[in-house]
Amino acid sequence: PRPGSCLLLFVAPPECPVFEPSWQDFSDPFGFIHRIREIAENTGICKIRPPQGWQPPFACDVRSFRFTPRIQRLNELEALTRVKLNFLDQIAKFWELQGCKLRFPHVERKLLDLYLLSKLVSAEGGFEVVCKEKRWSRISSRMGFPAGKGVGSLLRSHFERILYPYELFQTGVTLTVSLTPAAAVMTLYKEKSKGPNTEPCGTPRFSISESAIDLYMCMACGRGDEEDRLLLCDGCDDSYHTFCLIPPLQDVPKGDWRCPKCVAECSKPREAFGFEQAVREYTLQSFGEMADHFKSDYFNMPVHMVPTELVEKEFWRLVSSIEEDVIVEYGADISSKDMGSGFPVRDGKRKLIGDEDEYASSGWNLNNMPVLEQSVLTHISGDISGMKVPWLYVGMCFSSFCWHIEDHWSYSINYLHWGEPKTWYGVPAHAAEQLESVMKKVAPELFDSQPDLLHQLVTLMNPNLLMEHGVPVYRTNQCAGEFVVTFPRAYHSGFNQGYNFAEAVNFCTADWLPIGRQCVAHYRRLQRYCVFSHEEMVCKMAADPESLDVELAAAVVRELGDMIEEESRLRAAVQETGVLCSEQEVFELVPDDERQCWKCKTTCFLSALTCSCSPQRLVCLHHAAELCSCAASNKCLRFRYDQDEFPAMLYGVKSRAQSYDTWAKRVTETLAADNKSKRDLIELKVLLEDAEDRKYPENSLLRSLRDTVKEAETCSSVAQLLSAQKAGSKLTVEELKVFVEQLYRLPCIISQARHVRVSPRASTPDSGKLQALLELGSGLELELPELPRLKQELQQARWLDEVRLTLMEPQRLTLELMKRQIDSGVGLPPHHAVEKAMAELQELLTLSEHWEERARACLQARPRHSLLTLESIVMEAKNIPAYLPNVLALRDALHKAKEWTAKVEAIQNGSNYAYLEQLEGLLARGRSVPVRLEALPQVESQVASARAWRERTARTFLKKNSTYTLLQVLSPRVDIGVYGSSKSKRKRVKELLEKERGLELDALSDLEDSVEDTRDPAAVVAAFKAREWQELEAIHSLRAANLAKMALVERIEEVKFCLCRKTASGFMLQCELCRDWFHGACVPLPKAGSQKKLVSGSKESKFLCPLCQRSRRPRLETILSLLVSLQKLPVRLPEGEALQCLTERAMGWQDRARQALATDELSSALAKLSVLSQRMVELAAREKTEKIINAELLISVPSSDPVAPRKQPRKTPLVPRSLEPPVLELSPAAKAQLEELMMEGDLLEVSLDETQHIWRILQATHPPSEDKFLQLKLKDVERKRKRKLERAEQQLLLAGGGVQGRSKSKDIKRVLELKPKKKKLKLNPDKSRELKQLAKRLAKEEKERKRKEKAVAKAEFPKEGLEKKSRKILDIPSKYDWSGAEDSNDENAVCAAKNCQRPCKDKVSDGLLESEQDRCDWCLTESHLLCVCFPLGSGGLGPV
């Protein structure tokens, strides 16, 4: 909004609540205020209208009442207006000291707001920026002037003439002119003001001789020339040229002139603002005459005819106006101790007459309220003026009280005795800090000079401005005879509508105690003095617990407990610093000003710290370090109570608070007793006397007990009269029945009424007798006139019997049945019994329908009702003798809600958190209950957080489309050695779990037994440890079994491998963990390379089968972040516990691995590997570069020219080529330890750096003969394959097949690979043609197979490159050769020539040119023909 927009038209804030208590409520002031507190504290203030007829007489002596009021200038009260006035005052003083009288300009017939103009120009970047960017039109519109009238240029002129010189002065430029040359000064100002005319206008104001002038020198330029422009300061006699000043003066000032140094005094801080006292002393009569005269003159009408709304708007207009200066007087803070209270008081000064005695003892008498039994201030010794002693306020129109809160954030109550209304504004406590921040934001200049401005009661701020900044404000008009109550820390302000008289005082109830302690802490931070010692007051109450109200005693127990806890902590902290000396001191005997903390000004009571260097100085324990810099041994701890005294003090107050609870429990049981457990009347009288002696609170329970005793005593008197059978004690039967019913209702036994009985007389017709009479009359041979009447009575009797039987079985009495019975009774003849039964039925029906409808509405209510609401409804409908389905459903829902709540509380209060499945079950049940469950949102939040954590963990661990659950991945394996489909595997795993009775994390207990059968975390960890040992044993057994398969070379076709459980065939990989072999088509290939690279044996990496590597295996750091998130969840998850156990297992393995690698033997091995790897990388890079260069040279030479073989590259002395594996040699114990660690590390679903280190060491220690048994096995398999090939050839020759040469053998091999059934092969001509075509199609595949065989043969010789043993190929066992370490990093370096001329880029396929390669007949190594200079297909020996 535009600045000042809220001041244009005042909008009244919303009204605060108004309460009108009954006489019964009004009898207990604090009880009533406590009941309305929940509503009223949301608005900060409230108004209370006493019951009609409560009008205390005005007790002040009007003739002797004299006071001196305060003077209030209205426009100085409002914060923003005061800032503007201060600003204008500084501007006027500045120009006055310059010798000019300032006249404030008018623009558009309005006084120009110079403060707003200055603020807007400053916000736009300053005068120079606004002029340069031509923003004066924007400034004009923001100030509210109409566009198009050239106001912008006018504003610029006024700013440049009035404000700009002052701003230059404020920046300090004029204070440093003596250091600036005159030319620079003139240039500076000319640049800023665009060269104003510096020539003087008018005559000089000095007429002195030339000789005298020579004595004066300009303080700016240092010259004494141009005497006609040389000014002499009237303050300090310094001289300045008119053109050397900033800004330069065009004319010689006519009045007194001050130099820049003297003008600087106008920028000194102003004195703190406060109210002045008037000179005149008033009586009530003279002040009233003055006040009425002022108001009638101001509004030009009689005072009683001025509307309150008009006065309110005019007040806020005046306080926001700069032009109008209205002054009023206010008789505020007049002590009633000096002038007398407006309420009647028993002070002995005068005799009370009439009903004054009643009002003198009233709790609403403001002299009594602070010292009532339930008030905390009762226990403060001495009278505190304004808090315990009321203050009086005599107001007139517009006199006001500014924004403030009460001392110690206490309650306050104000009563308007007579006169015109008082308008109040209040802000609730929760917005107190918001109000303070808004006032500091709007008027920071005031708080810079007075940081404690809001504690001075001298500042107003328009409620509309506060509301624009989001501060909630409420108002009310307090009329004569009404109370206004302000609540703790509620800011309030207001003004008087006219002449009136009010009285106010503070009070503190039990609920204020914790707020008061917070206020003392707030004062401690502000270093503000306390009015009284909060600790002293609490300890004084605790010292005399029997004098306390029981509710106050309960509050003191809590407050004292918190104080003792804080005091013990502070004393322990002081003693830890080395303070050994301690003395006990009775602080209440020390004056308050002598026991105030030197640092924070808090009044000390429980303890203080002093030092021998300054015995008069003391500090509270919060500021023990601020006392002095002396050694701790010189300091002394002074305490009021020893630590051992605190428990006894606390016990006494607690006993007092608990005595009421015991009494209340006994009274409740007595009043609710049934006929079998009734107590004697004497016991009730004892309970009543006990309550009166102990001064228990006058609540509903005590009133019920008092009424019961009174009723029982009356019944006892009547029963005694009846037992004596006196003449005047006869009662009618109806009266006796009522009396007996009253006796039965009483919750006590009356000994005098034991013989009082009433024999019921049959008033309803007996159907049996009527039926007998009717049969007897019908049998007579007479016409009896009574028979029709008997028949009618028989109908009535039968209907009454039916109604009576129905009412005896409430569970059968439905609404439909009651309606039918009422309908059947409508046609009966009138009878008082029938009418009474009909009325009872109709009443029961109406009541039942009402409660059924109410119960149905509760069941369908949205939002759902709370547990207490439904419980009260069910309790009220409990005694209805009818079958009500909706009420029963509501009762069942209530029962389920209580059970659900009890289960949730049992889970929340248990020693361990609940499992997620338990909470999910609870959540499902809770959502179905039609009751608002307070704990349901918390359970929903916990379940959502746990599910989110589980999903995040699953994304971290599980592979895409994984068949394993997260719990299976995190738990030790139970499916080791189990193969087959996922369904059969799960069945087999389940059988294993049931057989071994292992850890069953998936099978949690049912929700019904969840609370009692919560799994102990220690048991879970123990079960995981047991499963880990079982997993290790199982993997040992599986590895041994898989390694034993390779011994069955002769029956290799019978051995099952892989996931598919079939025989060995094609490309196969060996898992490094379980040692089983797997088909390349059945398992995903490792990320290191394709099948071709695996066959060639280059850059081998570790292979783990899908059964052994079940997850992504995240790093340990990722898992630790998941565990941190898990610790924040108040929920137990099986996956979380499994992850914790897995992490502990991984970290334990990591520690063991690090210990093993830290030994001298293994650390040196790692260092050796690192050195070798670095050297091989460097050499391989160098040789690769040479190969590329040679290949490019080769391309540039014509193909017909023979290519000379490349020279042997120089061997590096660092890595000899004759290096034979193994590279490392370890002791058997170290190697066995590493292999065991490697196996355990591979079992972990966690990625650790130590596994790679151990793997590198183990690969470097494997000898070349390690896979010898595999070679033998493969040779046997090859021989069997050749025999099958020969038999197939013979069959084809006998069949006369047309397949010839090489393609023929290819077809034969292809036929063998197709594995035909064991039947005799019969070939006809068609089959022969098909076989030829098949041979042609498969020729390319045969060529590929041969290339693989060549690679296998080459693998038997030393390889060039440092390789890792991570995958083993069943067809071609891996070997490790370290002799060509410098070539190990070249993936395609498979040519055996020393100077390989391998082409670059995509001309190479699998390391060799397919069309230009051959194999040595001797060593079977392949070489480029270009590299060995052999013709294509000529055969021969290789280069080696």
Side-chain angles (χ1 to χ4, degrees):
R2 187 175 61 81
S5 62
C6 63
L7 309 180
L8 298 178
L9 182 62
F10 180 79
V11 179
E15 293 287 329
C16 74
V18 180
F19 299 96
E20 297 180 356
S22 63
W23 281 106
Q24 182 177 353
D25 294 334
F26 199 69
S27 63
D28 182 10
F30 285 169
F32 177 72
I33 292 174
H34 179 73
R35 284 194 293 275
I36 67 174
R37 180 170 66 94
E38 186 175 357
I39 300 173
E41 67 182 357
N42 293 324
T43 58
I45 62 173
C46 72
K47 185 165 67 175
I48 300 176
R49 289 197 183 106
Q52 191 173 4
W54 195 87
Q55 296 176 351
F58 187 63
C60 282
D61 187 357
V62 179
R63 292 170 297 180
S64 62
F65 194 99
R66 293 181 175 274
F67 64 97
T68 303
R70 294 172 179 171
I71 297 176
Q72 293 183 336
R73 288 181 172 84
L74 295 187
N75 55 4
E76 291 185 356
L77 297 178
E78 211 275 333
L80 193 57
T81 311
R82 193 190 307 165
V83 171
K84 292 182 179 180
L85 289 174
N86 291 344
F87 177 79
L88 296 178
D89 186 49
Q90 290 178 357
I91 292 287
K93 189 174 182 180
F94 169 78
W95 285 110
E96 181 184 354
L97 293 176
Q98 292 283 355
C100 301
K101 184 176 182 181
L102 177 65
R103 292 183 180 179
F104 294 104
H106 285 72
V107 177
E108 291 292 319
R109 298 182 180 179
K110 292 193 305 182
L111 186 68
L112 179 60
D113 191 343
L114 293 177
Y115 174 79
L116 180 59
L117 178 62
S118 174
K119 286 294 183 183
L120 291 178
V121 172
S122 176
E124 292 289 340
F127 178 72
E128 292 85 357
V129 175
V130 174
C131 292
K132 184 178 180 181
E133 299 184 4
K134 299 180 179 179
R135 298 182 185 175
W136 288 106
S137 297
R138 185 191 304 178
I139 298 291
S140 172
S141 62
R142 290 188 64 183
M143 292 189 69
F145 293 112
K149 292 190 176 183
V151 179
S153 59
L154 192 59
L155 293 179
R156 173 184 173 175
S157 174
H158 289 315
F159 189 95
E160 186 175 13
R161 181 174 59 88
I162 300 174
L163 295 178
Y164 189 55
Y166 175 73
E167 288 189 354
L168 287 178
F169 161 71
Q170 287 292 91
T171 59
V173 175
T174 58
L175 299 179
T176 59
V177 292
S178 60
L179 303 178
T180 307
V185 172
M186 292 299 298
T187 304
L188 173 66
Y189 186 73
K190 285 179 180 179
E191 290 179 355
K192 293 185 177 181
S193 60
K194 300 182 179 179
N197 182 19
T198 59
E199 294 297 326
C201 296
T203 59
R205 72 186 193 87
F206 297 114
S207 58
I208 52 180
S209 64
E210 293 183 0
S211 60
I213 292 177
D214 292 338
L215 300 177
Y216 295 98
M217 306 294 292
C218 177
M219 301 299 294
C221 64
R223 301 198 308 270
D225 56 349
E226 300 192 41
E227 295 86 353
D228 56 340
R229 298 184 185 180
L230 198 63
L231 297 179
L232 185 64
C233 176
D234 292 321
C236 61
D237 292 337
D238 286 344
S239 302
Y240 291 89
H241 286 118
T242 56
F243 50 79
C244 290
L245 296 172
I246 298 180
L249 292 180
Q250 296 181 1
D251 301 324
V252 176
K254 296 180 179 179
D256 292 343
W257 177 83
R258 302 266 189 312
C259 68
K261 293 181 181 179
C262 295
V263 173
E265 69 179 68
C266 74
S267 63
K268 293 181 180 179
R270 298 174 61 87
E271 294 181 2
F273 177 78
F275 294 127
E276 301 175 8
Q277 289 294 117
V279 178
R280 180 182 174 185
E281 185 181 64
Y282 289 92
T283 64
L284 287 179
Q285 181 179 356
S286 61
F287 187 85
E289 292 172 353
M290 181 273 298
D292 290 341
H293 182 71
F294 168 83
K295 184 175 182 181
S296 61
D297 282 355
Y298 188 91
F299 290 102
N300 197 22
M301 65 178 73
V303 292
H304 63 278
M305 295 182 63
V306 184
T308 57
E309 296 82 3
L310 177 61
V311 178
E312 184 175 23
K313 291 182 179 180
E314 185 64 14
F315 172 78
W316 289 112
R317 189 190 69 82
L318 288 174
V319 299
S320 304
S321 173
I322 299 176
E323 305 173 38
E324 298 186 50
D325 189 11
V326 177
I327 300 175
V328 296
E329 294 177 319
Y330 189 21
D333 301 343
I334 304 171
S335 176
S336 63
K337 197 170 185 181
D338 300 331
M339 293 292 120
S341 172
F343 289 96
V345 181
R346 294 193 185 94
D347 55 0
K349 293 183 180 180
R350 69 181 185 89
K351 183 178 180 181
L352 301 179
I353 57 174
D355 56 356
E356 287 184 343
D357 188 69
E358 176 187 349
Y359 289 104
S361 59
S362 172
W364 292 93
N365 186 324
L366 299 194
N367 297 277
N368 300 333
M369 183 168 281
V371 293
L372 289 177
E373 185 181 4
Q374 300 95 330
S375 175
V376 175
L377 299 182
T378 308
H379 304 277
I380 296 179
S381 57
D383 293 334
I384 303 175
S385 182
M387 290 199 74
K388 290 182 67 176
V389 178
W391 273 352
L392 308 176
Y393 299 86
V394 185
M396 64 175 289
C397 183
F398 299 146
S399 61
S400 62
F401 51 100
C402 301
W403 287 111
H404 69 285
I405 49 179
E406 301 300 324
D407 290 331
H408 286 260
W409 297 352
S410 59
Y411 288 84
S412 77
I413 184 168
N414 184 294
Y415 180 74
L416 190 61
H417 285 279
W418 45 260
E420 297 191 60
K422 187 189 293 284
T423 301
W424 290 74
Y425 302 97
V427 173
H430 64 80
E433 294 182 358
Q434 189 179 0
L435 178 140
E436 294 169 359
S437 63
V438 169
M439 293 189 72
K440 292 176 182 178
K441 177 182 177 182
V442 173
E445 298 89 347
L446 298 182
F447 287 90
D448 291 341
S449 58
Q450 285 181 273
D452 61 342
L453 182 66
L454 289 174
H455 295 290
Q456 306 302 321
L457 283 79
V458 292
T459 306
L460 281 173
M461 181 164 283
N462 196 304
N464 289 169
L465 183 59
L466 294 174
M467 294 164 68
E468 284 184 4
H469 287 82
V471 179
V473 183
Y474 300 88
R475 72 173 301 281
T476 191
N477 284 330
Q478 179 191 15
C479 299
E482 294 178 342
F483 290 96
V484 168
V485 177
T486 70
F487 287 80
R489 209 188 181 186
Y491 272 97
H492 52 281
S493 67
F495 67 94
N496 296 290
Q497 295 272 344
Y499 178 47
N500 57 25
F501 189 99
E503 189 168 355
V505 78
N506 295 106
F507 65 92
C508 300
T509 58
D511 59 85
W512 166 86
L513 281 174
I515 302 174
R517 184 157 49 87
Q518 294 175 16
C519 179
V520 173
H522 183 72
Y523 284 179
R524 184 182 298 117
R525 291 192 294 270
L526 297 180
Q527 299 182 5
R528 184 167 183 246
Y529 292 99
C530 298
V531 178
F532 58 87
S533 172
H534 186 84
E535 294 174 346
E536 180 180 353
M537 178 189 65
V538 174
C539 292
K540 187 175 180 181
M541 288 189 288
D544 187 13
E546 292 302 322
S547 64
L548 298 179
D549 177 74
V550 289
E551 296 179 358
L552 181 58
V556 170
V557 169
R558 294 188 293 269
E559 185 71 10
L560 186 61
D562 294 340
M563 282 174 44
I564 292 173
E565 182 180 353
E566 183 180 17
E567 180 67 17
S568 301
R569 178 176 56 81
L570 291 173
R571 290 190 187 182
V574 169
Q575 291 172 356
E576 287 178 0
T577 61
V579 177
L580 302 178
C581 177
S582 61
E583 295 179 4
Q584 188 167 11
E585 183 167 349
V586 184
F587 279 102
E588 56 263 38
L589 301 180
V590 181
D592 285 1
D593 56 350
E594 295 181 12
R595 52 183 172 122
Q596 289 167 347
C597 174
W598 178 75
K599 178 67 176 176
C600 65
K601 314 306 179 188
T602 302
T603 304
C604 299
F605 178 74
L606 285 179
S607 58
L609 193 67
T610 60
C611 182
S612 57
C613 68
S614 54
Q616 301 302 323
R617 179 189 296 180
L618 54 80
V619 293
C620 64
L621 299 191
H622 290 276
H623 300 99
E626 309 290 337
L627 178 59
C628 62
S629 59
C630 299
S633 58
N634 297 340
K635 299 177 182 179
C636 179
L637 174 65
R638 302 187 181 278
F639 59 90
R640 176 62 182 87
Y641 297 104
D642 191 77
Q643 292 271 33
D644 298 335
E645 297 180 61
F646 287 141
M649 187 185 304
L650 188 61
Y651 175 78
V653 186
K654 189 179 294 184
S655 301
R656 169 63 176 167
Q658 292 176 349
S659 66
Y660 173 76
D661 297 335
T662 306
W663 176 87
K665 184 178 179 181
R666 288 180 58 193
V667 172
T668 304
E669 292 175 353
T670 302
L671 296 180
D674 54 12
N675 291 329
K676 297 181 180 179
S677 58
K678 287 185 179 181
R679 301 184 182 181
D680 196 85
L681 176 60
I682 299 175
E683 294 188 31
L684 269 69
K685 290 182 179 180
V686 170
L687 290 173
L688 182 60
E689 292 174 359
D690 190 19
E692 292 174 349
D693 293 340
R694 290 178 171 266
K695 298 180 181 180
Y696 288 150
E698 187 71 25
N699 51 21
S700 58
L701 186 63
L702 181 56
R703 286 193 290 269
S704 298
L705 178 62
R706 187 179 286 114
D707 294 342
T708 301
V709 171
K710 185 176 180 180
E711 184 182 2
E713 289 177 344
T714 303
C715 291
S716 176
S717 301
V718 174
Q720 191 171 1
L721 291 175
L722 290 175
S723 301
Q725 295 183 354
K726 294 183 179 180
S729 61
K730 292 183 179 179
L731 297 177
T732 64
V733 175
E734 294 299 328
E735 291 175 342
L736 187 59
K737 286 174 60 178
V738 172
F739 178 64
V740 171
E741 290 176 359
Q742 186 179 7
L743 288 177
Y744 281 122
R745 285 198 307 269
L746 286 174
C748 59
I749 300 173
I750 299 176
S751 57
Q752 293 86 349
R754 292 177 180 176
H755 303 292
V756 178
R757 296 286 186 273
V758 59
S759 299
R761 178 175 56 85
S763 59
T764 58
D766 189 344
S767 60
K769 292 181 180 180
L770 290 175
Q771 180 67 31
L773 286 173
L774 191 59
E775 291 176 356
L776 180 61
S778 300
L780 297 175
E781 299 296 334
L782 296 172
E783 288 188 9
L784 300 174
E786 290 83 3
L787 288 179
R789 185 180 174 187
L790 283 176
K791 289 180 181 180
Q792 291 178 358
E793 291 191 3
L794 180 59
Q795 292 177 357
Q796 295 170 349
R798 287 177 176 173
W799 183 83
L800 290 172
D801 290 343
E802 184 180 354
V803 171
R804 188 163 44 252
L805 290 174
T806 304
L807 293 176
M808 291 174 62
E809 299 179 0
Q811 65 276 8
R812 292 180 55 250
L813 186 58
T814 62
L815 298 179
E816 291 75 13
L817 182 57
M818 282 189 277
K819 291 177 181 178
R820 288 200 302 269
Q821 289 184 347
I822 290 174
D823 293 340
S824 61
V826 169
L828 295 177
H831 188 274
H832 69 278
V834 174
E835 292 173 355
K836 182 179 179 181
M838 284 284 287
E840 291 178 358
L841 271 180
Q842 186 62 48
E843 182 182 1
L844 182 59
L845 176 62
T846 304
L847 188 63
S848 301
E849 288 177 342
H850 167 72
W851 284 107
E852 272 289 89
E853 179 63 25
R854 191 171 177 185
R856 184 188 63 79
C858 291
L859 290 172
Q860 298 176 358
R862 292 295 183 274
R864 295 170 176 172
H865 292 292
S866 64
L867 197 65
L868 294 177
T869 302
L870 298 185
E871 191 171 11
S872 64
I873 293 174
V874 170
M875 289 300 295
E876 291 178 16
K878 182 179 180 182
N879 298 324
I880 299 177
Y883 175 74
L884 307 176
N886 288 335
V887 174
L888 293 177
L890 192 62
R891 185 180 303 168
D892 182 61
L894 187 63
H895 178 69
K896 290 180 179 178
K898 289 182 178 179
E899 284 187 346
W900 189 90
T901 304
K903 288 178 181 177
V904 171
E905 290 178 355
I907 289 176
Q908 302 290 358
N909 298 331
S911 57
N912 298 318
Y913 289 135
Y915 278 106
L916 175 60
E917 287 76 4
Q918 295 172 311
L919 293 183
E920 287 175 336
L922 278 174
L923 185 59
R925 291 190 179 187
R927 285 174 174 168
S928 63
V929 177
V931 183
R932 186 173 77 240
L933 303 171
E934 302 298 336
L936 187 61
Q938 181 184 2
V939 175
E940 289 177 340
S941 174
Q942 293 176 354
V943 169
S945 301
R947 287 174 176 171
W949 183 89
R950 186 167 60 185
E951 291 174 2
R952 176 187 169 196
T953 307
R955 288 194 301 270
T956 304
F957 275 90
L958 297 184
K959 301 177 182 178
K960 187 176 181 180
N961 300 326
S962 174
T963 60
Y964 295 99
T965 64
L966 177 61
L967 186 59
Q968 289 174 341
V969 166
L970 298 177
S971 305
R973 290 175 58 186
V974 295
D975 60 346
I976 295 178
V978 180
Y979 300 92
S981 65
S982 59
K983 186 175 181 180
S984 61
K985 273 184 66 176
R986 285 196 295 268
K987 184 177 180 182
R988 175 61 177 158
V989 170
K990 186 176 180 181
E991 292 175 357
L992 288 173
L993 284 173
E994 292 177 353
K995 180 179 179 182
E996 298 180 11
R997 298 290 182 184
L999 181 62
E1000 300 178 2
L1001 288 177
D1002 284 325
L1004 288 172
S1005 58
D1006 192 272
L1007 184 62
E1008 300 294 337
D1009 304 319
S1010 61
V1011 179
E1012 294 79 13
D1013 192 29
T1014 303
R1015 190 177 299 277
D1016 183 20
V1020 173
V1021 174
F1024 264 89
K1025 293 294 183 183
R1027 179 59 61 194
E1028 290 171 9
W1029 285 109
Q1030 294 174 7
E1031 182 187 37
L1032 288 174
E1033 293 176 1
I1035 197 64
H1036 277 296
S1037 303
L1038 181 62
R1039 285 164 64 97
N1042 288 335
L1043 291 175
K1045 292 179 183 179
M1046 309 315 296
L1048 304 175
V1049 179
E1050 300 298 330
R1051 295 184 297 164
I1052 193 65
E1053 296 181 352
E1054 300 177 4
V1055 179
K1056 306 298 183 183
F1057 297 95
C1058 191
L1059 299 171
C1060 59
R1061 309 315 296 160
K1062 295 181 181 179
T1063 57
S1065 63
F1067 176 73
M1068 300 192 73
L1069 299 171
Q1070 187 181 26
C1071 175
E1072 291 298 333
L1073 180 57
C1074 64
R1075 298 296 185 182
D1076 201 359
W1077 293 85
F1078 294 85
H1079 300 107
C1082 294
V1083 295
L1085 294 179
K1087 296 180 181 179
S1090 62
Q1091 177 176 333
K1092 295 177 182 180
K1093 291 182 180 180
L1094 293 173
V1095 171
S1096 65
S1098 64
K1099 280 195 174 182
E1100 293 189 9
S1101 60
K1102 185 192 298 184
F1103 168 70
L1104 295 178
C1105 65
L1107 299 178
C1108 295
Q1109 185 172 353
R1110 302 173 293 168
S1111 71
R1112 298 177 185 270
R1113 296 202 173 186
R1115 292 187 61 81
L1116 187 60
E1117 294 80 2
T1118 306
I1119 298 176
L1120 292 178
S1121 69
L1122 289 173
L1123 287 180
V1124 172
S1125 303
L1126 178 66
Q1127 295 298 324
K1128 300 177 181 178
L1129 295 178
V1131 184
R1132 291 180 67 184
L1133 291 94
E1135 293 83 0
E1137 295 174 346
L1139 183 61
Q1140 288 176 330
C1141 294
L1142 173 62
T1143 307
E1144 292 179 4
R1145 182 182 182 187
M1147 295 177 72
W1149 181 88
Q1150 190 180 46
D1151 292 340
R1152 290 189 287 120
R1154 288 176 177 174
Q1155 292 175 4
L1157 293 174
T1159 59
D1160 296 339
E1161 183 179 5
L1162 294 181
S1163 59
S1164 62
L1166 271 177
K1168 182 179 180 182
L1169 282 178
S1170 299
V1171 172
L1172 289 176
S1173 299
Q1174 182 64 26
R1175 291 174 180 174
M1176 287 187 292
V1177 167
E1178 295 173 356
L1179 188 58
R1182 185 166 62 251
E1183 292 196 354
K1184 190 170 183 178
T1185 303
E1186 293 177 1
K1187 290 178 183 179
I1188 293 173
I1189 294 172
N1190 291 334
E1192 292 177 352
L1193 293 174
L1194 180 64
I1195 293 172
S1196 63
V1197 177
S1199 59
S1200 60
D1201 296 340
V1203 179
R1206 185 178 55 177
K1207 290 184 180 182
Q1208 174 71 21
R1210 182 176 62 85
K1211 293 184 179 180
T1212 173
L1214 300 177
V1215 184
R1217 291 185 179 275
S1218 60
L1219 186 63
E1220 294 293 336
V1223 176
L1224 301 176
E1225 291 186 2
L1226 299 177
S1227 62
K1231 187 175 182 181
Q1233 183 185 10
L1234 288 182
E1235 289 178 347
E1236 182 68 20
L1237 283 173
M1238 190 72 252
M1239 184 195 70
E1240 294 184 21
D1242 287 340
L1243 282 174
L1244 299 174
E1245 297 295 336
V1246 183
S1247 295
L1248 299 169
D1249 295 337
E1250 287 75 14
T1251 56
Q1252 298 300 324
H1253 300 333
I1254 296 175
W1255 172 253
R1256 289 178 58 201
I1257 296 175
L1258 288 176
Q1259 292 308 296
T1261 58
H1262 286 162
S1265 61
E1266 185 172 323
D1267 296 322
K1268 187 175 182 181
F1269 69 96
L1270 293 175
Q1271 298 172 22
L1272 295 176
K1273 177 198 72 170
L1274 291 174
K1275 290 178 181 179
D1276 294 339
V1277 173
E1278 187 64 26
R1279 281 199 298 271
K1280 292 181 181 180
R1281 191 173 180 280
K1282 287 182 179 179
R1283 285 198 297 271
K1284 289 183 180 180
L1285 183 63
E1286 291 173 0
R1287 286 197 297 270
E1289 254 184 37
Q1290 292 174 3
Q1291 291 177 2
L1292 287 174
L1293 291 174
L1294 292 175
V1299 181
Q1300 299 295 331
R1302 197 168 177 182
S1303 64
K1304 179 178 177 181
S1305 64
K1306 289 180 181 179
D1307 280 343
I1308 295 170
K1309 293 174 184 177
R1310 180 63 180 167
V1311 170
L1312 289 177
E1313 288 179 358
L1314 293 175
K1315 295 184 180 180
K1317 295 181 181 179
K1318 295 182 180 181
K1319 292 184 179 181
K1320 188 174 181 181
L1321 184 63
K1322 297 180 179 181
L1323 296 177
N1324 51 28
D1326 294 336
K1327 288 290 184 180
S1328 272
R1329 283 194 297 274
E1330 291 179 4
L1331 189 58
K1332 291 177 183 178
Q1333 295 174 359
L1334 179 63
K1336 291 178 181 179
R1337 286 197 306 268
L1338 300 179
K1340 192 173 182 178
E1341 296 181 9
E1342 177 65 19
K1343 185 177 179 180
E1344 181 70 19
R1345 189 188 63 77
K1346 283 191 68 179
R1347 190 179 63 75
K1348 291 180 182 178
E1349 290 178 354
K1350 293 175 184 178
V1352 172
K1354 184 177 180 303
E1356 296 178 359
F1357 290 89
K1359 297 181 180 179
E1360 295 179 0
L1362 182 62
E1363 302 169 349
K1364 297 179 181 180
K1365 181 186 175 187
S1366 63
R1367 308 181 199 100
K1368 294 182 180 178
I1369 305 169
L1370 188 59
D1371 294 335
I1372 311 162
S1374 301
K1375 287 199 172 185
Y1376 306 92
D1377 187 358
W1378 299 83
S1379 60
E1382 64 275 9
D1383 296 328
S1384 63
N1385 285 337
D1386 190 354
E1387 294 183 358
N1388 298 323
V1390 295
C1391 174
K1394 294 182 179 180
N1395 297 313
C1396 175
Q1397 303 297 325
R1398 174 175 61 86
C1400 300
K1401 299 183 181 178
D1402 53 352
K1403 294 183 180 181
V1404 181
S1405 175
D1406 293 304
L1408 298 171
L1409 291 171
E1410 292 187 1
S1411 60
E1412 297 181 5
Q1413 61 184 8
D1414 206 346
R1415 185 173 60 183
C1416 177
D1417 295 335
W1418 176 253
C1419 64
L1420 300 179
T1421 59
E1422 291 191 4
S1423 305
H1424 294 131
L1425 300 182
L1426 185 64
C1427 298
V1428 296
C1429 300
F1430 280 132
L1432 182 64
S1434 63
L1437 301 179
V1440 181

